[in-house]
Amino acid sequence: MTRPVTDPVGLEVRWDRLAAATHEAASTMPRTAFSTIIRGSNDYTVVLTDHS
């Protein structure tokens, strides 16, 4: 069950941060991938992140 959003500004900030992290991963993976399968298929199934 989901809780109603009580802080729409905070939700928007978190959503924008998630979108930015996803965009950064999508632009970094093809440049640094050793596998041509990942580079060619744009398969970003696994993205590692840390808490910082």
Side-chain angles (χ1 to χ4, degrees):
M1 187 157 150
T2 60
R3 297 184 322 186
V5 177
T6 57
D7 181 15
V9 174
L11 177 64
E12 185 68 24
V13 168
R14 286 190 287 282
W15 181 256
D16 286 345
R17 291 175 98 186
L18 178 62
T22 304
H23 178 68
E24 185 175 338
S27 65
T28 302
M29 287 289 284
R31 291 182 296 149
T32 60
F34 290 107
S35 170
T36 56
I37 294 171
I38 292 174
R39 210 175 303 134
S41 67
N42 293 328
D43 182 11
Y44 310 118
T45 305
V46 177
V47 175
L48 300 177
T49 60
D50 64 356
H51 188 2
S52 61

mmCIF file of all heavy atoms in Angstrom:
data_model
loop_
_atom_site.group_PDB
_atom_site.id
_atom_site.type_symbol
_atom_site.label_atom_id
_atom_site.label_comp_id
_atom_site.label_asym_id
_atom_site.label_seq_id
_atom_site.Cartn_x
_atom_site.Cartn_y
_atom_site.Cartn_z
ATOM 1 N N MET A 1 0.853 -1.173 0.000
ATOM 2 C CA MET A 1 0.000 0.000 0.000
ATOM 3 C C MET A 1 0.901 1.240 0.000
ATOM 4 O O MET A 1 1.880 1.317 0.722
ATOM 5 C CB MET A 1 -0.870 -0.013 1.240
ATOM 6 C CG MET A 1 -1.883 1.063 1.242
ATOM 7 S SD MET A 1 -3.192 0.514 2.331
ATOM 8 C CE MET A 1 -3.784 1.984 2.952
ATOM 9 N N THR A 2 0.568 2.219 -0.798
ATOM 10 C CA THR A 2 1.378 3.428 -0.886
ATOM 11 C C THR A 2 0.784 4.521 -0.018
ATOM 12 O O THR A 2 -0.432 4.619 0.142
ATOM 13 C CB THR A 2 1.463 3.932 -2.337
ATOM 14 O OG1 THR A 2 0.150 4.207 -2.786
ATOM 15 C CG2 THR A 2 2.119 2.894 -3.227
ATOM 16 N N ARG A 3 1.690 5.337 0.507
ATOM 17 C CA ARG A 3 1.241 6.473 1.314
ATOM 18 C C ARG A 3 1.032 7.683 0.408
ATOM 19 O O ARG A 3 1.716 7.834 -0.595
ATOM 20 C CB ARG A 3 2.298 6.818 2.363
ATOM 21 C CG ARG A 3 2.520 5.705 3.334
ATOM 22 C CD ARG A 3 3.486 6.072 4.413
ATOM 23 N NE ARG A 3 4.573 6.886 3.923
ATOM 24 C CZ ARG A 3 5.612 7.241 4.651
ATOM 25 N NH1 ARG A 3 5.716 6.840 5.881
ATOM 26 N NH2 ARG A 3 6.562 7.981 4.159
ATOM 27 N N PRO A 4 0.107 8.555 0.745
ATOM 28 C CA PRO A 4 -0.077 9.765 -0.067
ATOM 29 C C PRO A 4 1.138 10.688 0.060
ATOM 30 O O PRO A 4 1.819 10.697 1.080
ATOM 31 C CB PRO A 4 -1.324 10.415 0.532
ATOM 32 C CG PRO A 4 -1.470 9.836 1.892
ATOM 33 C CD PRO A 4 -0.833 8.476 1.852
ATOM 34 N N VAL A 5 1.381 11.440 -0.974
ATOM 35 C CA VAL A 5 2.516 12.364 -0.983
ATOM 36 C C VAL A 5 2.177 13.561 -0.111
ATOM 37 O O VAL A 5 1.184 14.246 -0.331
ATOM 38 C CB VAL A 5 2.830 12.819 -2.416
ATOM 39 C CG1 VAL A 5 3.946 13.832 -2.415
ATOM 40 C CG2 VAL A 5 3.169 11.634 -3.279
ATOM 41 N N THR A 6 3.007 13.796 0.898
ATOM 42 C CA THR A 6 2.762 14.934 1.771
ATOM 43 C C THR A 6 3.688 16.103 1.456
ATOM 44 O O THR A 6 3.433 17.217 1.887
ATOM 45 C CB THR A 6 2.959 14.535 3.239
ATOM 46 O OG1 THR A 6 4.271 14.023 3.412
ATOM 47 C CG2 THR A 6 1.946 13.478 3.643
ATOM 48 N N ASP A 7 4.753 15.835 0.720
ATOM 49 C CA ASP A 7 5.724 16.871 0.385
ATOM 50 C C ASP A 7 6.005 16.829 -1.120
ATOM 51 O O ASP A 7 6.944 16.186 -1.567
ATOM 52 C CB ASP A 7 7.010 16.642 1.179
ATOM 53 C CG ASP A 7 8.062 17.706 0.904
ATOM 54 O OD1 ASP A 7 7.720 18.762 0.333
ATOM 55 O OD2 ASP A 7 9.223 17.470 1.246
ATOM 56 N N PRO A 8 5.203 17.512 -1.928
ATOM 57 C CA PRO A 8 5.391 17.435 -3.372
ATOM 58 C C PRO A 8 6.717 18.038 -3.838
ATOM 59 O O PRO A 8 7.291 17.585 -4.819
ATOM 60 C CB PRO A 8 4.201 18.197 -3.945
ATOM 61 C CG PRO A 8 3.653 19.003 -2.832
ATOM 62 C CD PRO A 8 4.043 18.316 -1.568
ATOM 63 N N VAL A 9 7.232 19.022 -3.141
ATOM 64 C CA VAL A 9 8.511 19.624 -3.522
ATOM 65 C C VAL A 9 9.640 18.624 -3.283
ATOM 66 O O VAL A 9 10.512 18.431 -4.135
ATOM 67 C CB VAL A 9 8.762 20.937 -2.744
ATOM 68 C CG1 VAL A 9 10.147 21.477 -3.031
ATOM 69 C CG2 VAL A 9 7.700 21.967 -3.092
ATOM 70 N N GLY A 10 9.627 17.968 -2.128
ATOM 71 C CA GLY A 10 10.638 16.958 -1.837
ATOM 72 C C GLY A 10 10.574 15.800 -2.817
ATOM 73 O O GLY A 10 11.604 15.274 -3.243
ATOM 74 N N LEU A 11 9.358 15.402 -3.191
ATOM 75 C CA LEU A 11 9.196 14.336 -4.164
ATOM 76 C C LEU A 11 9.787 14.745 -5.507
ATOM 77 O O LEU A 11 10.481 13.961 -6.155
ATOM 78 C CB LEU A 11 7.713 13.988 -4.320
ATOM 79 C CG LEU A 11 7.390 12.940 -5.368
ATOM 80 C CD1 LEU A 11 8.002 11.600 -4.991
ATOM 81 C CD2 LEU A 11 5.886 12.822 -5.539
ATOM 82 N N GLU A 12 9.549 15.962 -5.922
ATOM 83 C CA GLU A 12 10.087 16.451 -7.194
ATOM 84 C C GLU A 12 11.609 16.493 -7.177
ATOM 85 O O GLU A 12 12.264 16.128 -8.154
ATOM 86 C CB GLU A 12 9.522 17.838 -7.509
ATOM 87 C CG GLU A 12 9.927 18.371 -8.866
ATOM 88 C CD GLU A 12 9.307 17.605 -10.016
ATOM 89 O OE1 GLU A 12 8.261 16.977 -9.822
ATOM 90 O OE2 GLU A 12 9.888 17.641 -11.121
ATOM 91 N N VAL A 13 12.179 16.922 -6.063
ATOM 92 C CA VAL A 13 13.642 16.961 -5.939
ATOM 93 C C VAL A 13 14.208 15.553 -6.034
ATOM 94 O O VAL A 13 15.187 15.312 -6.754
ATOM 95 C CB VAL A 13 14.061 17.638 -4.612
ATOM 96 C CG1 VAL A 13 15.546 17.431 -4.341
ATOM 97 C CG2 VAL A 13 13.721 19.116 -4.641
ATOM 98 N N ARG A 14 13.603 14.606 -5.320
ATOM 99 C CA ARG A 14 14.091 13.219 -5.384
ATOM 100 C C ARG A 14 13.926 12.634 -6.780
ATOM 101 O O ARG A 14 14.790 11.914 -7.279
ATOM 102 C CB ARG A 14 13.372 12.365 -4.343
ATOM 103 C CG ARG A 14 13.860 12.642 -2.937
ATOM 104 C CD ARG A 14 13.338 11.644 -1.929
ATOM 105 N NE ARG A 14 11.942 11.781 -1.585
ATOM 106 C CZ ARG A 14 11.458 12.694 -0.744
ATOM 107 N NH1 ARG A 14 12.265 13.560 -0.170
ATOM 108 N NH2 ARG A 14 10.174 12.743 -0.481
ATOM 109 N N TRP A 15 12.812 12.936 -7.421
ATOM 110 C CA TRP A 15 12.576 12.434 -8.775
ATOM 111 C C TRP A 15 13.618 12.988 -9.747
ATOM 112 O O TRP A 15 14.144 12.264 -10.586
ATOM 113 C CB TRP A 15 11.166 12.805 -9.230
ATOM 114 C CG TRP A 15 10.874 12.283 -10.602
ATOM 115 C CD1 TRP A 15 10.847 12.993 -11.759
ATOM 116 C CD2 TRP A 15 10.582 10.930 -10.950
ATOM 117 N NE1 TRP A 15 10.559 12.166 -12.811
ATOM 118 C CE2 TRP A 15 10.390 10.893 -12.344
ATOM 119 C CE3 TRP A 15 10.470 9.751 -10.209
ATOM 120 C CZ2 TRP A 15 10.101 9.719 -13.018
ATOM 121 C CZ3 TRP A 15 10.170 8.584 -10.890
ATOM 122 C CH2 TRP A 15 9.996 8.584 -12.277
ATOM 123 N N ASP A 16 13.922 14.270 -9.639
ATOM 124 C CA ASP A 16 14.925 14.880 -10.512
ATOM 125 C C ASP A 16 16.309 14.278 -10.279
ATOM 126 O O ASP A 16 17.074 14.084 -11.221
ATOM 127 C CB ASP A 16 14.976 16.390 -10.317
ATOM 128 C CG ASP A 16 13.782 17.096 -10.934
ATOM 129 O OD1 ASP A 16 13.076 16.470 -11.750
ATOM 130 O OD2 ASP A 16 13.540 18.271 -10.594
ATOM 131 N N ARG A 17 16.639 13.997 -9.008
ATOM 132 C CA ARG A 17 17.929 13.374 -8.706
ATOM 133 C C ARG A 17 18.003 11.965 -9.290
ATOM 134 O O ARG A 17 19.029 11.558 -9.819
ATOM 135 C CB ARG A 17 18.159 13.335 -7.209
ATOM 136 C CG ARG A 17 18.376 14.719 -6.623
ATOM 137 C CD ARG A 17 18.482 14.663 -5.141
ATOM 138 N NE ARG A 17 19.883 14.676 -4.781
ATOM 139 C CZ ARG A 17 20.324 14.525 -3.544
ATOM 140 N NH1 ARG A 17 19.491 14.336 -2.558
ATOM 141 N NH2 ARG A 17 21.602 14.560 -3.296
ATOM 142 N N LEU A 18 16.906 11.216 -9.204
ATOM 143 C CA LEU A 18 16.865 9.877 -9.777
ATOM 144 C C LEU A 18 17.003 9.941 -11.297
ATOM 145 O O LEU A 18 17.739 9.158 -11.899
ATOM 146 C CB LEU A 18 15.561 9.180 -9.391
ATOM 147 C CG LEU A 18 15.346 7.775 -9.953
ATOM 148 C CD1 LEU A 18 16.425 6.826 -9.457
ATOM 149 C CD2 LEU A 18 13.966 7.272 -9.582
ATOM 150 N N ALA A 19 16.325 10.879 -11.918
ATOM 151 C CA ALA A 19 16.409 11.032 -13.372
ATOM 152 C C ALA A 19 17.823 11.431 -13.791
ATOM 153 O O ALA A 19 18.337 10.938 -14.798
ATOM 154 C CB ALA A 19 15.397 12.067 -13.851
ATOM 155 N N ALA A 20 18.476 12.290 -13.026
ATOM 156 C CA ALA A 20 19.842 12.697 -13.345
ATOM 157 C C ALA A 20 20.813 11.527 -13.207
ATOM 158 O O ALA A 20 21.712 11.350 -14.046
ATOM 159 C CB ALA A 20 20.274 13.851 -12.438
ATOM 160 N N ALA A 21 20.639 10.727 -12.165
ATOM 161 C CA ALA A 21 21.510 9.563 -11.984
ATOM 162 C C ALA A 21 21.314 8.556 -13.117
ATOM 163 O O ALA A 21 22.281 7.972 -13.620
ATOM 164 C CB ALA A 21 21.228 8.910 -10.639
ATOM 165 N N THR A 22 20.076 8.369 -13.539
ATOM 166 C CA THR A 22 19.793 7.457 -14.639
ATOM 167 C C THR A 22 20.397 7.967 -15.937
ATOM 168 O O THR A 22 20.997 7.209 -16.703
ATOM 169 C CB THR A 22 18.272 7.284 -14.795
ATOM 170 O OG1 THR A 22 17.742 6.845 -13.552
ATOM 171 C CG2 THR A 22 17.937 6.300 -15.876
ATOM 172 N N HIS A 23 20.279 9.267 -16.183
ATOM 173 C CA HIS A 23 20.852 9.854 -17.389
ATOM 174 C C HIS A 23 22.377 9.733 -17.384
ATOM 175 O O HIS A 23 22.987 9.418 -18.413
ATOM 176 C CB HIS A 23 20.438 11.324 -17.492
ATOM 177 C CG HIS A 23 21.018 12.011 -18.676
ATOM 178 N ND1 HIS A 23 20.644 11.706 -19.970
ATOM 179 C CD2 HIS A 23 21.961 12.970 -18.780
ATOM 180 C CE1 HIS A 23 21.330 12.457 -20.804
ATOM 181 N NE2 HIS A 23 22.135 13.234 -20.108
ATOM 182 N N GLU A 24 22.991 9.957 -16.231
ATOM 183 C CA GLU A 24 24.449 9.832 -16.120
ATOM 184 C C GLU A 24 24.896 8.398 -16.379
ATOM 185 O O GLU A 24 25.888 8.161 -17.072
ATOM 186 C CB GLU A 24 24.901 10.281 -14.740
ATOM 187 C CG GLU A 24 26.394 10.299 -14.587
ATOM 188 C CD GLU A 24 26.827 10.859 -13.247
ATOM 189 O OE1 GLU A 24 26.054 11.595 -12.615
ATOM 190 O OE2 GLU A 24 27.949 10.543 -12.840
ATOM 191 N N ALA A 25 24.160 7.433 -15.830
ATOM 192 C CA ALA A 25 24.496 6.030 -16.065
ATOM 193 C C ALA A 25 24.346 5.676 -17.537
ATOM 194 O O ALA A 25 25.185 4.966 -18.099
ATOM 195 C CB ALA A 25 23.609 5.133 -15.208
ATOM 196 N N ALA A 26 23.295 6.183 -18.170
ATOM 197 C CA ALA A 26 23.061 5.877 -19.580
ATOM 198 C C ALA A 26 24.122 6.496 -20.478
ATOM 199 O O ALA A 26 24.417 5.960 -21.547
ATOM 200 C CB ALA A 26 21.679 6.369 -19.998
ATOM 201 N N SER A 27 24.707 7.602 -20.071
ATOM 202 C CA SER A 27 25.757 8.200 -20.894
ATOM 203 C C SER A 27 27.135 7.621 -20.584
ATOM 204 O O SER A 27 28.019 7.625 -21.437
ATOM 205 C CB SER A 27 25.772 9.719 -20.718
ATOM 206 O OG SER A 27 26.132 10.061 -19.402
ATOM 207 N N THR A 28 27.333 7.076 -19.382
ATOM 208 C CA THR A 28 28.627 6.529 -18.992
ATOM 209 C C THR A 28 28.803 5.084 -19.439
ATOM 210 O O THR A 28 29.892 4.700 -19.874
ATOM 211 C CB THR A 28 28.810 6.618 -17.466
ATOM 212 O OG1 THR A 28 28.688 7.981 -17.077
ATOM 213 C CG2 THR A 28 30.154 6.101 -17.037
ATOM 214 N N MET A 29 27.766 4.288 -19.336
ATOM 215 C CA MET A 29 27.885 2.861 -19.642
ATOM 216 C C MET A 29 28.400 2.570 -21.049
ATOM 217 O O MET A 29 29.316 1.771 -21.199
ATOM 218 C CB MET A 29 26.548 2.151 -19.417
ATOM 219 C CG MET A 29 26.176 1.983 -17.972
ATOM 220 S SD MET A 29 27.187 0.784 -17.121
ATOM 221 C CE MET A 29 26.486 -0.717 -17.759
ATOM 222 N N PRO A 30 27.879 3.179 -22.101
ATOM 223 C CA PRO A 30 28.405 2.851 -23.436
ATOM 224 C C PRO A 30 29.867 3.257 -23.619
ATOM 225 O O PRO A 30 30.604 2.598 -24.344
ATOM 226 C CB PRO A 30 27.515 3.648 -24.394
ATOM 227 C CG PRO A 30 26.305 3.966 -23.633
ATOM 228 C CD PRO A 30 26.718 4.056 -22.200
ATOM 229 N N ARG A 31 30.303 4.311 -22.955
ATOM 230 C CA ARG A 31 31.689 4.748 -23.104
ATOM 231 C C ARG A 31 32.664 3.849 -22.376
ATOM 232 O O ARG A 31 33.814 3.735 -22.790
ATOM 233 C CB ARG A 31 31.862 6.179 -22.583
ATOM 234 C CG ARG A 31 31.177 7.214 -23.452
ATOM 235 C CD ARG A 31 31.416 8.600 -22.910
ATOM 236 N NE ARG A 31 30.775 8.673 -21.605
ATOM 237 C CZ ARG A 31 31.197 9.420 -20.602
ATOM 238 N NH1 ARG A 31 32.259 10.157 -20.738
ATOM 239 N NH2 ARG A 31 30.557 9.439 -19.449
ATOM 240 N N THR A 32 32.233 3.228 -21.284
ATOM 241 C CA THR A 32 33.142 2.457 -20.458
ATOM 242 C C THR A 32 32.915 0.949 -20.524
ATOM 243 O O THR A 32 33.669 0.199 -19.906
ATOM 244 C CB THR A 32 33.034 2.891 -18.984
ATOM 245 O OG1 THR A 32 31.694 2.679 -18.532
ATOM 246 C CG2 THR A 32 33.394 4.355 -18.823
ATOM 247 N N ALA A 33 31.930 0.500 -21.263
ATOM 248 C CA ALA A 33 31.612 -0.925 -21.318
ATOM 249 C C ALA A 33 32.676 -1.675 -22.112
ATOM 250 O O ALA A 33 33.080 -1.247 -23.189
ATOM 251 C CB ALA A 33 30.243 -1.137 -21.947
ATOM 252 N N PHE A 34 33.120 -2.783 -21.567
ATOM 253 C CA PHE A 34 34.063 -3.634 -22.279
ATOM 254 C C PHE A 34 33.326 -4.554 -23.255
ATOM 255 O O PHE A 34 33.884 -4.988 -24.238
ATOM 256 C CB PHE A 34 34.872 -4.488 -21.295
ATOM 257 C CG PHE A 34 35.841 -3.685 -20.486
ATOM 258 C CD1 PHE A 34 35.602 -3.439 -19.151
ATOM 259 C CD2 PHE A 34 36.986 -3.161 -21.063
ATOM 260 C CE1 PHE A 34 36.489 -2.693 -18.406
ATOM 261 C CE2 PHE A 34 37.873 -2.421 -20.331
ATOM 262 C CZ PHE A 34 37.634 -2.185 -18.996
ATOM 263 N N SER A 35 32.072 -4.841 -22.954
ATOM 264 C CA SER A 35 31.295 -5.758 -23.768
ATOM 265 C C SER A 35 30.612 -5.011 -24.911
ATOM 266 O O SER A 35 29.947 -3.998 -24.702
ATOM 267 C CB SER A 35 30.235 -6.437 -22.903
ATOM 268 O OG SER A 35 29.330 -7.155 -23.698
ATOM 269 N N THR A 36 30.764 -5.541 -26.113
ATOM 270 C CA THR A 36 30.079 -4.926 -27.252
ATOM 271 C C THR A 36 28.574 -5.160 -27.190
ATOM 272 O O THR A 36 27.805 -4.411 -27.795
ATOM 273 C CB THR A 36 30.623 -5.475 -28.577
ATOM 274 O OG1 THR A 36 30.504 -6.894 -28.569
ATOM 275 C CG2 THR A 36 32.071 -5.087 -28.765
ATOM 276 N N ILE A 37 28.157 -6.196 -26.460
ATOM 277 C CA ILE A 37 26.727 -6.456 -26.315
ATOM 278 C C ILE A 37 26.066 -5.328 -25.534
ATOM 279 O O ILE A 37 25.015 -4.817 -25.928
ATOM 280 C CB ILE A 37 26.480 -7.815 -25.625
ATOM 281 C CG1 ILE A 37 26.970 -8.940 -26.516
ATOM 282 C CG2 ILE A 37 25.008 -7.985 -25.281
ATOM 283 C CD1 ILE A 37 26.973 -10.300 -25.869
ATOM 284 N N ILE A 38 26.692 -4.914 -24.433
ATOM 285 C CA ILE A 38 26.140 -3.811 -23.638
ATOM 286 C C ILE A 38 26.180 -2.522 -24.446
ATOM 287 O O ILE A 38 25.230 -1.758 -24.482
ATOM 288 C CB ILE A 38 26.904 -3.647 -22.316
ATOM 289 C CG1 ILE A 38 26.643 -4.851 -21.420
ATOM 290 C CG2 ILE A 38 26.518 -2.357 -21.620
ATOM 291 C CD1 ILE A 38 27.442 -4.865 -20.159
ATOM 292 N N ARG A 39 27.295 -2.293 -25.108
ATOM 293 C CA ARG A 39 27.443 -1.075 -25.900
ATOM 294 C C ARG A 39 26.424 -1.030 -27.035
ATOM 295 O O ARG A 39 25.835 0.012 -27.315
ATOM 296 C CB ARG A 39 28.857 -1.016 -26.464
ATOM 297 C CG ARG A 39 29.363 0.362 -26.656
ATOM 298 C CD ARG A 39 30.821 0.393 -27.103
ATOM 299 N NE ARG A 39 31.684 -0.312 -26.162
ATOM 300 C CZ ARG A 39 32.633 -1.180 -26.511
ATOM 301 N NH1 ARG A 39 32.837 -1.461 -27.779
ATOM 302 N NH2 ARG A 39 33.378 -1.754 -25.602
ATOM 303 N N GLY A 40 26.196 -2.156 -27.681
ATOM 304 C CA GLY A 40 25.314 -2.183 -28.838
ATOM 305 C C GLY A 40 23.834 -2.243 -28.496
ATOM 306 O O GLY A 40 23.007 -1.673 -29.201
ATOM 307 N N SER A 41 23.488 -2.921 -27.414
ATOM 308 C CA SER A 41 22.074 -3.106 -27.107
ATOM 309 C C SER A 41 21.527 -2.088 -26.120
ATOM 310 O O SER A 41 20.324 -2.063 -25.874
ATOM 311 C CB SER A 41 21.839 -4.503 -26.532
ATOM 312 O OG SER A 41 22.457 -4.615 -25.266
ATOM 313 N N ASN A 42 22.413 -1.279 -25.529
ATOM 314 C CA ASN A 42 21.998 -0.301 -24.512
ATOM 315 C C ASN A 42 21.247 -0.977 -23.374
ATOM 316 O O ASN A 42 20.197 -0.500 -22.928
ATOM 317 C CB ASN A 42 21.151 0.804 -25.121
ATOM 318 C CG ASN A 42 21.943 1.657 -26.073
ATOM 319 O OD1 ASN A 42 23.141 1.847 -25.887
ATOM 320 N ND2 ASN A 42 21.306 2.159 -27.104
ATOM 321 N N ASP A 43 21.781 -2.102 -22.910
ATOM 322 C CA ASP A 43 21.161 -2.859 -21.823
ATOM 323 C C ASP A 43 21.785 -2.415 -20.508
ATOM 324 O O ASP A 43 22.926 -2.741 -20.216
ATOM 325 C CB ASP A 43 21.375 -4.351 -22.045
ATOM 326 C CG ASP A 43 20.718 -5.192 -20.974
ATOM 327 O OD1 ASP A 43 19.924 -4.636 -20.185
ATOM 328 O OD2 ASP A 43 20.993 -6.398 -20.927
ATOM 329 N N TYR A 44 21.046 -1.661 -19.718
ATOM 330 C CA TYR A 44 21.543 -1.136 -18.447
ATOM 331 C C TYR A 44 20.809 -1.809 -17.292
ATOM 332 O O TYR A 44 20.275 -1.158 -16.409
ATOM 333 C CB TYR A 44 21.344 0.373 -18.361
ATOM 334 C CG TYR A 44 21.849 1.100 -19.575
ATOM 335 C CD1 TYR A 44 20.985 1.825 -20.371
ATOM 336 C CD2 TYR A 44 23.173 1.042 -19.930
ATOM 337 C CE1 TYR A 44 21.435 2.492 -21.483
ATOM 338 C CE2 TYR A 44 23.638 1.695 -21.046
ATOM 339 C CZ TYR A 44 22.768 2.422 -21.815
ATOM 340 O OH TYR A 44 23.207 3.065 -22.913
ATOM 341 N N THR A 45 20.767 -3.131 -17.318
ATOM 342 C CA THR A 45 20.032 -3.863 -16.302
ATOM 343 C C THR A 45 20.621 -3.650 -14.913
ATOM 344 O O THR A 45 19.897 -3.536 -13.934
ATOM 345 C CB THR A 45 20.022 -5.358 -16.643
ATOM 346 O OG1 THR A 45 19.496 -5.514 -17.958
ATOM 347 C CG2 THR A 45 19.173 -6.137 -15.675
ATOM 348 N N VAL A 46 21.935 -3.572 -14.819
ATOM 349 C CA VAL A 46 22.592 -3.435 -13.524
ATOM 350 C C VAL A 46 23.393 -2.135 -13.510
ATOM 351 O O VAL A 46 24.243 -1.920 -14.359
ATOM 352 C CB VAL A 46 23.542 -4.615 -13.251
ATOM 353 C CG1 VAL A 46 24.263 -4.433 -11.940
ATOM 354 C CG2 VAL A 46 22.769 -5.910 -13.253
ATOM 355 N N VAL A 47 23.074 -1.281 -12.568
ATOM 356 C CA VAL A 47 23.837 -0.058 -12.357
ATOM 357 C C VAL A 47 24.185 -0.002 -10.877
ATOM 358 O O VAL A 47 23.315 -0.075 -10.019
ATOM 359 C CB VAL A 47 23.034 1.195 -12.768
ATOM 360 C CG1 VAL A 47 23.802 2.462 -12.434
ATOM 361 C CG2 VAL A 47 22.698 1.158 -14.231
ATOM 362 N N LEU A 48 25.479 0.105 -10.567
ATOM 363 C CA LEU A 48 25.921 0.138 -9.178
ATOM 364 C C LEU A 48 25.989 1.573 -8.699
ATOM 365 O O LEU A 48 26.530 2.437 -9.384
ATOM 366 C CB LEU A 48 27.285 -0.522 -9.046
ATOM 367 C CG LEU A 48 27.368 -1.985 -9.459
ATOM 368 C CD1 LEU A 48 28.803 -2.480 -9.353
ATOM 369 C CD2 LEU A 48 26.445 -2.823 -8.618
ATOM 370 N N THR A 49 25.457 1.828 -7.535
ATOM 371 C CA THR A 49 25.534 3.157 -6.941
ATOM 372 C C THR A 49 25.967 3.027 -5.486
ATOM 373 O O THR A 49 25.901 1.954 -4.899
ATOM 374 C CB THR A 49 24.170 3.871 -6.979
ATOM 375 O OG1 THR A 49 23.228 3.088 -6.253
ATOM 376 C CG2 THR A 49 23.680 4.050 -8.402
ATOM 377 N N ASP A 50 26.435 4.113 -4.913
ATOM 378 C CA ASP A 50 26.745 4.113 -3.499
ATOM 379 C C ASP A 50 25.970 5.218 -2.809
ATOM 380 O O ASP A 50 25.261 5.988 -3.443
ATOM 381 C CB ASP A 50 28.252 4.258 -3.256
ATOM 382 C CG ASP A 50 28.801 5.579 -3.747
ATOM 383 O OD1 ASP A 50 28.068 6.370 -4.342
ATOM 384 O OD2 ASP A 50 29.976 5.830 -3.534
ATOM 385 N N HIS A 51 26.099 5.284 -1.505
ATOM 386 C CA HIS A 51 25.279 6.192 -0.711
ATOM 387 C C HIS A 51 25.702 7.663 -0.832
ATOM 388 O O HIS A 51 24.936 8.564 -0.544
ATOM 389 C CB HIS A 51 25.305 5.761 0.742
ATOM 390 C CG HIS A 51 24.337 6.514 1.618
ATOM 391 N ND1 HIS A 51 23.473 7.467 1.143
ATOM 392 C CD2 HIS A 51 24.094 6.441 2.916
ATOM 393 C CE1 HIS A 51 22.763 7.947 2.150
ATOM 394 N NE2 HIS A 51 23.120 7.337 3.215
ATOM 395 N N SER A 52 26.896 7.935 -1.284
ATOM 396 C CA SER A 52 27.371 9.317 -1.346
ATOM 397 C C SER A 52 26.720 10.021 -2.460
ATOM 398 O O SER A 52 26.003 10.803 -2.613
ATOM 399 C CB SER A 52 28.860 9.380 -1.554
ATOM 400 O OG SER A 52 29.219 8.764 -2.765
#
